[in-house]
Amino acid sequence: MKKNTFKTYKEEIIKRYALAKVEDLSGILSMPTPAQLRDFCSMKCDKGLGRLDEELMKIFFETKTSESLKHSIEHCNIDKFKPVISFLKGEKDTENKIRVGIAAIIVDYNPRPFSKFSGVEIENTDFESSEEKNSDETRFIKEVESLEKETIQKPNKRFVFILSALLIIVLGLTVKIVAFPQKQCMQWQGDHYEKVECQSEINNLYASSPIIPFDEDLQELDKLTVCDTTTFFKGGKAVVWYCKVGDVPEFFDRPGFHPITGKSLRAITPYIINKYIKSKKHNKVEVKTQS
């Protein structure tokens, strides 16, 4: 077991970063920029934060009492993230607990913050490689090899049964992958994502939209056609998000990133509604809400 010092906490966060890069289908964490990490934090804020994470973010982004955390994130000085990036890449150490805490939130390391970590024993184990983490066959093979060693040392009918079952599962997965390949990628096609073959040719109609790894949550994103009767708010919260492409906003049904430009989607506001969705007579639209 490792002694739970602040140095150990930082080491565990950097180890977690190696795994987070593999899990992050957006690719942001592989080569992060300050602007991308700002948008990444904005996304985490949209998805909901725990009380401690929210308090730490408010300190990091210097959120004023009169403003929301989301607003302070979107208008922060992105240079704040440069030391965080240097720390995660192992280029420069830091003793700043706030920066280290933000790094822990970004890579989703638990237990956090350090006050929780200091009271938990952490085993001195390394993270699996990306191939080990993402391959069902590899995990099964490792289990089989472990059971084979135990079976040789202590012959046991139970081990033989488990070994046979695992081999059958591995064989079944292999046959399924070879005989019935799944569509593991998707592409934005006009107003929604469609599953496609990762190696398929891009339809000329959607050549500007890249083929990306399949993401079940991201697949639910839909582009909206809005008008003055659209419900924009429910319970006082926005249910429509937008992103400007040139000078024209495009509207979507959930937070995320624009499928073509990659820019972060923002929650709609009465200002945007009145400026871009008002009638030809320039009368202000009554913002429709739903409890």
Side-chain angles (χ1 to χ4, degrees), residues 77-91:
N77 181 353
I78 60 175
D79 287 344
K80 282 177 171 288
F81 288 102
K82 290 182 178 180
V84 177
I85 293 173
S86 295
F87 165 70
L88 287 174
K89 290 183 175 180
E91 297 171 349

Side-chain angles (χ1 to χ4, degrees), residues 49-244:
L49 297 168
R51 181 180 61 82
L52 295 178
D53 287 352
E54 183 176 355
E55 290 301 319
L56 192 145
M57 275 199 173
K58 285 182 177 179
I59 295 172
F60 180 79
F61 290 106
E62 301 177 353
T63 305
K64 298 177 182 178
T65 305
S66 59
E67 70 177 342
S68 67
L69 174 57
K70 176 80 171 179
H71 183 272
S72 63
I73 293 174
E74 292 178 346
H75 295 82
C76 77
N77 181 353
I78 60 175
D79 287 344
K80 282 177 171 288
F81 288 102
K82 290 182 178 180
V84 177
I85 293 173
S86 295
F87 165 70
L88 287 174
K89 290 183 175 180
E91 297 171 349
K92 188 176 181 180
D93 194 8
T94 178
E95 296 299 317
N96 188 303
K97 287 185 171 61
I98 301 301
R99 291 172 183 166
V100 173
I102 289 295
I105 294 173
I106 289 172
V107 303
D108 197 27
Y109 174 77
N110 278 299
R112 66 175 187 265
F114 175 66
S115 57
K116 281 190 176 181
F117 174 86
S118 61
V120 178
E121 290 185 332
I122 302 298
E123 293 183 359
N124 186 17
T125 55
D126 294 327
F127 289 110
E128 296 177 323
S129 68
S130 60
E131 291 184 354
E132 291 173 334
K133 186 65 180 177
N134 291 302
S135 170
D136 288 336
E137 289 88 347
T138 301
R139 288 198 293 271
F140 283 128
I141 290 170
K142 289 179 69 177
E143 292 178 30
V144 170
E145 290 174 346
S146 176
L147 287 172
E148 285 177 336
K149 292 178 182 178
E150 292 181 30
T151 304
I152 293 172
Q153 294 172 357
K154 295 181 180 180
N156 188 301
K157 288 184 178 180
R158 181 170 177 270
F159 284 150
V160 173
F161 174 78
I162 295 175
L163 176 61
S164 300
L166 288 174
L167 287 172
I168 292 172
I169 293 173
V170 172
L171 179 61
L173 284 173
T174 303
V175 171
K176 180 180 179 182
I177 292 171
V178 173
F180 305 101
Q182 295 182 346
K183 294 179 179 179
Q184 297 295 334
C185 291
M186 61 185 187
Q187 182 186 23
W188 182 256
Q189 299 194 358
D191 58 3
H192 67 285
Y193 279 105
E194 288 281 353
K195 274 190 172 182
V196 297
E197 296 288 349
C198 296
Q199 301 300 325
S200 65
E201 294 183 1
I202 301 176
N203 188 309
N204 289 333
L205 181 61
Y206 304 107
S208 62
S209 178
I211 291 179
I212 61 175
F214 178 76
D215 184 322
E216 187 173 352
D217 293 331
L218 192 60
Q219 188 196 26
E220 299 298 322
L221 182 70
D222 287 318
K223 186 177 179 180
L224 301 176
T225 299
V226 301
C227 63
D228 57 356
T229 60
T230 299
T231 297
F232 296 101
F233 302 95
K234 288 184 179 180
K237 294 185 178 181
V239 293
V240 175
W241 283 259
Y242 76 96
C243 178
K244 285 187 180 180

